[in-house]
Amino acid sequence: KLKLFGTVILMILYVLALDLVGFLPASILFVLLFNVLFCGTLEKNSLLVSAVIAVVFPVAVWLIFGKLFNVTLPYPSPFRVMG
């Protein structure tokens, strides 16, 4: 049940974070926390693998869709943060 509720909470926070910080930082954080949640351990090796995956996959998606296919991905809205 922890994984189910953790996933739901992470998804909600991810959607909210997309608008505040943009696709890349929100996705890196989401993938990292999702991996840690489902891995179930906080060992150094496990966290290192999760961190590498959390950076590589969102960056790859950003490069493929954002740059190669020219798809507009969410970017931060500085006016929303400031006021």
Side-chain angles (χ1 to χ4, degrees):
K1 289 190 178 200
L2 174 67
K3 291 179 183 178
L4 172 66
F5 291 120
T7 301
V8 170
I9 291 169
L10 280 176
M11 292 294 289
I12 292 168
L13 292 175
Y14 176 63
V15 169
L16 295 173
L18 280 172
D19 198 34
L20 292 174
V21 298
F23 173 79
L24 206 50
S27 297
I28 290 171
L29 186 61
F30 172 76
V31 172
L32 176 65
L33 294 175
F34 190 81
N35 282 346
V36 169
L37 177 68
F38 275 83
C39 186
T41 181
L42 294 176
E43 293 177 11
K44 189 175 181 180
N45 267 354
S46 177
L47 288 175
L48 181 62
V49 170
S50 292
V52 169
I53 290 170
V55 171
V56 169
F57 283 101
V59 169
V61 168
W62 178 74
L63 286 172
I64 292 168
F65 286 96
K67 299 299 178 187
L68 184 64
F69 295 136
N70 205 24
V71 173
T72 303
L73 297 170
Y75 56 93
S77 177
F79 299 109
R80 233 177 237 188
V81 174
M82 293 188 318

